[in-house]
Amino acid sequence: MTNTPPGVRPRRPYFSSGPCAKPPGWTPEQLDTRILGRSHRSGLGKERLKLCIDLMREMLALPDSHRIGIVPGSDTGAFEMAMWAMLGARPVTCLAWESFGEGWVTDAVKQLKLDPTVIRADYGQLPDLNQVDWSNDVLFTWNGTTSGVRVPDGGWIPEDREGLCFADATSAVFAYDLPWDKIDVATFSWQKVIGGEGAHGVLILGPRAVERLESFTPERPLPKIFRLTKGGKLIEGIFTGETINTPSMLAVEDAIFALEWAKSIGGLKALIARSDANAAALDRIVAGRNWLGHLAQDAASRSKTSVCLTVDGADNDFIKRFAKLLEAEGVAYDIAGYRDAPPGLRIWCGATVDTADIEALGPWFDWAWAQLGEQLQ
């Protein structure tokens, strides 16, 4: 370790876990602005919204059986929409091992008053997935952004399940090859793996979810923004670009740019490969330092996008100073762990980050530790 700042700096020091780094080469001048100042309901507006949906389908290799809708409220809005519109037909099981999963528990218990079965695990751990009763509707986060813990795959989800599978997949979509035949409802935000803007969510519905919507009407009142059916039938326009409320067409164009970038580098396989390489580079950094560790102990369930690290002996105050020191040097922005998580660092390793920038973090971690680490002794 040395007090001399390293010579190599990350070229793009953007490691926030949301909103995440823009795609390499992004500049605002490259966005198509023809639709700005015009109605999203115009011919051009509908064309651009449909293009965004079509690109998402192509990049996710999503089967035709699944519908894609752009909805308000980011990932949270999309998941809330699904919960309020569909839950209540069956018993509910909620899995929670980090902050956002706990949020769905709170909504199911206190707002929807569903008396769900709740299966929890501490930060860094994954619940026993074998406990899940799939005669229930099941809610979970595929990739826990605030804990760095994910489900290893879809093998624990039965094909003959009676309940619906609700996956909050906002840090997983575009970073894993998801088993769409196992997922009835999925939600995500552009601001994660493709580095888009916030405020808009994406809702993906499989055929069993559509069947639920068209056969079940909850007794609770539904705000207009949550209504997915009319006259007992799915509002198909939502899934062809006729959004529920007025979208930011600038955010849509930003998403189109990111999706076209993804297509240009090789699509989903290339996005997954970039995330895998970034996570592996960060893992090498951790392995070479006895004061760093992974919050997620089991590599099989460790996130490859939102990677959460422990710092030996650190409290929240130390983490803030460590992160601010690197931010002041312009080498790492927004790397402190989530406010509800144990004290630690959180490094986004999604596809829009360059592996060389992850690799450059190692010496800078050493430098910051040399400045501050003795305070923990």
Side-chain angles (χ1 to χ4, degrees), residues 7 45 48 52 71 74-75 79 95 157 160 181 191 200 214 232 235 259 276 346-347 353 356 365 368:
R48 301 304 285 176
C52 188
V71 300
S74 195
D75 175 63
F79 205 80
L95 304 180
I157 306 171
D160 61 350
D181 60 324
Q191 65 170 308
H200 293 55
E214 294 185 339
I235 303 173
L259 291 161
D276 287 352
R346 184 169 60 153
I347 312 298
V353 174
F365 281 177

Side-chain angles (χ1 to χ4, degrees), residues 4-254:
T4 303
V8 177
R9 295 170 174 266
R11 188 173 61 87
R12 295 189 302 137
Y14 303 103
F15 303 107
S16 163
S17 288
C20 301
K22 291 295 186 186
W26 180 94
T27 63
E29 291 77 17
Q30 295 183 72
L31 302 185
D32 187 336
T33 58
R34 289 175 298 153
I35 189 57
L36 301 190
R38 293 195 56 187
S39 171
H40 63 292
R41 296 187 179 91
S42 67
L44 179 60
K46 291 179 181 179
E47 174 189 314
R48 301 304 285 176
L49 285 161
K50 185 177 184 301
L51 173 61
C52 188
I53 289 172
D54 290 344
L55 284 169
M56 286 190 286
R57 181 178 299 281
E58 181 180 356
M59 289 302 99
L60 293 174
L62 197 71
D64 291 340
S65 59
H66 286 58
R67 292 165 169 87
I68 307 175
I70 299 168
V71 300
S74 195
D75 175 63
T76 300
F79 205 80
E80 293 275 11
M81 181 181 295
M83 289 180 67
W84 282 73
M86 281 184 260
L87 293 182
R90 285 183 168 273
V92 176
T93 294
C94 297
L95 304 180
W97 60 88
E98 51 95 51
S99 179
F100 289 103
E102 282 292 345
W104 310 139
V105 171
T106 297
D107 288 347
V109 173
K110 294 186 176 181
Q111 306 301 323
L112 297 176
K113 303 186 186 306
L114 293 170
D115 192 24
T117 298
V118 181
I119 304 175
R120 288 186 170 92
D122 292 334
Y123 275 86
Q125 304 296 319
L126 189 67
D128 181 1
L129 301 178
N130 292 320
Q131 293 182 30
V132 177
D133 179 358
W134 281 98
S135 66
N136 292 6
D137 291 335
V138 179
L139 284 63
F140 65 97
T141 52
W142 196 280
N143 188 111
T145 309
T146 67
S147 70
V149 174
R150 62 181 173 91
V151 295
D153 52 39
W156 60 289
I157 306 171
E159 293 182 3
D160 61 350
R161 62 193 176 279
E162 297 175 48
L164 297 181
C165 170
F166 290 73
D168 172 356
T170 200
S171 291
V173 167
F174 300 112
Y176 302 95
D177 191 5
L178 298 179
W180 292 109
D181 60 324
K182 300 289 188 74
I183 300 172
D184 301 302
V185 178
T187 64
F188 68 94
S189 168
W190 294 328
Q191 65 170 308
K192 297 293 184 177
V193 180
I194 62 170
E197 290 300 297
H200 293 55
V202 177
L203 175 65
I204 298 177
L205 301 180
R208 299 178 72 245
V210 174
E211 181 184 8
R212 170 69 63 81
L213 283 165
E214 294 185 339
S215 64
F216 169 71
T217 302
E219 294 182 359
R220 69 187 72 94
L222 285 181
K224 179 180 179 180
I225 208 167
F226 284 175
R227 296 174 202 159
L228 293 166
T229 60
K230 184 175 182 180
K233 292 295 182 181
L234 188 72
I235 303 173
E236 294 285 359
I238 295 172
F239 305 95
T240 59
E242 297 175 15
T243 53
I244 292 174
N245 71 336
T246 304
S248 163
M249 294 306 295
L250 188 58
V252 170
E253 292 298 339
D254 189 74

